[in-house]
């Protein structure tokens, strides 16, 4: 029985299913919509106009900031949805993917780095869809760390500065690439566990008699 008085809002049950139409998902969609804007600013005039590069960096940072904000809103307001679990990492990959490709196109980042990162990102995204009938694989803590490191490294590469700044950017990118590869392997192992989980039945857990081993 609700204890709310007449005209007072009642609390949403903790186990209620959140609607996909919520502010957290809207921010995720906004991040996706900013990808072409960012891409144009990065590639315009060959990518070497300092004012446009600064604007590209600003748009990139603002777009990445929505990643943290939508996650906080989803958790604090019980707005976590399957759409959000899938769309959030896809939005991250679209934005960072555009940054990697754009920086390689303008000659500021080695193509082998971009190819390695994109193979990992596309592979993990496809893996999510392959195993979705077994369950949704949300972004892990390692995956979030990877996103943060990539965001920092890419921002440093986007800012049109040289000298010691460029050296720091290379070091940051090296760390980001390492974590990207390691977490990619972790997602593959997580997918294997997710696929294997339904084969375990209560009877087999309790008695170990589900069949031959």
């Amino acid at each position: 029985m609700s204890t709310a008085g007449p005209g007072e809002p009642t609390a949403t049950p903790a186990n209620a299913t959140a609607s996909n139409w919520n502010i957290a998902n809207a921010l995720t969609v906004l991040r996706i919509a900013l990808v072409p804007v960012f891409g144009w600013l990065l590639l315009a005039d060959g990518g070497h106009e300092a004012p446009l590069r600064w604007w590209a960096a600003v748009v990139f940072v603002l777009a990445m900031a929505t990643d943290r904000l939508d996650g906080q809103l989803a958790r604090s307001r019980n707005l976590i949805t399957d759409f959000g679990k899938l769309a959030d990492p896809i939005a991250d990959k679209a934005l960072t993917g555009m940054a990697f490709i754009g920086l390689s196109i303008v000659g500021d980042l080695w193509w082998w780095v971009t190819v390695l990162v994109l193979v990992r990102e596309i592979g993990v995204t496809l893996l999510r869809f392959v195993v979705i009938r077994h369950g949704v694989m949300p972004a892990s803590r390692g995956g979030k760390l990877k996103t943060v490191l990539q965001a920092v490294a890419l921002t440093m590469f986007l800012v049109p500065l040289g000298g010691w700044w460029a050296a720091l950017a290379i070091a940051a990118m090296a760390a980001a690439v390492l974590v990207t590869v390691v977490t990619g392997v972790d997602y593959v192992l997580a997918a294997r566990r997710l696929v294997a989980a339904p084969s375990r039945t209560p009877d087999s857990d309790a008695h170990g008699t589900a069949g031959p081993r």
Side-chain angles (χ1 to χ4, degrees):
M1 182 175 65
S2 173
T3 58
E8 296 180 4
T10 56
T12 302
N15 60 351
T17 301
S19 168
N20 285 327
W21 297 93
N22 61 64
I23 183 62
N25 287 346
L27 287 172
T28 300
V29 173
L30 173 62
R31 187 157 69 258
I32 296 174
L34 287 174
V35 172
V37 177
F38 162 69
W40 181 85
L41 290 169
L42 174 57
L43 298 176
D45 293 331
H48 297 295
E49 290 292 329
L52 290 177
R53 284 292 290 265
W54 278 106
W55 276 111
V58 168
V59 171
F60 181 79
V61 170
L62 290 177
M64 291 303 299
T66 65
D67 178 42
R68 181 175 179 84
L69 181 58
D70 64 18
Q72 290 177 334
L73 288 172
R75 289 186 295 271
S76 64
R77 299 188 182 185
N78 193 29
L79 300 177
I80 298 174
T81 63
D82 283 348
F83 171 82
K85 291 178 181 178
L86 285 173
D88 181 69
I90 289 174
D92 294 338
K93 288 174 174 59
L95 183 61
T96 57
M98 181 67 252
F100 276 107
I101 293 173
L103 286 168
S104 291
I105 288 175
V106 300
D108 289 349
L109 183 63
W110 309 278
W111 271 109
W112 71 264
V113 171
T114 295
V115 171
L116 178 62
V117 171
L118 291 184
V119 167
R120 183 274 190 198
E121 302 291 24
I122 294 172
V124 169
T125 299
L126 292 176
L127 189 62
R128 290 178 189 276
F129 285 105
V130 169
V131 303
I132 195 170
R133 61 193 179 93
H134 298 283
V136 174
M137 280 201 312
S140 66
R141 291 183 178 180
K144 287 295 184 180
L145 173 62
K146 177 268 304 179
T147 300
V148 171
L149 289 174
Q150 286 186 2
V152 171
L154 289 169
T155 301
M156 295 181 73
F157 268 84
L158 288 169
V159 173
L161 297 176
W164 61 269
W165 181 268
L168 288 178
I170 292 174
M173 184 60 71
V177 171
L178 176 61
V179 175
T180 296
V181 173
V182 171
T183 55
V185 174
D186 184 60
Y187 273 119
V188 172
L189 296 177
R192 291 184 61 183
R193 291 193 296 268
L194 188 63
V195 171
S199 64
R200 294 177 61 86
T201 65
D203 288 342
S204 64
D205 288 340
H207 306 293
T209 57
R213 296 181 182 180

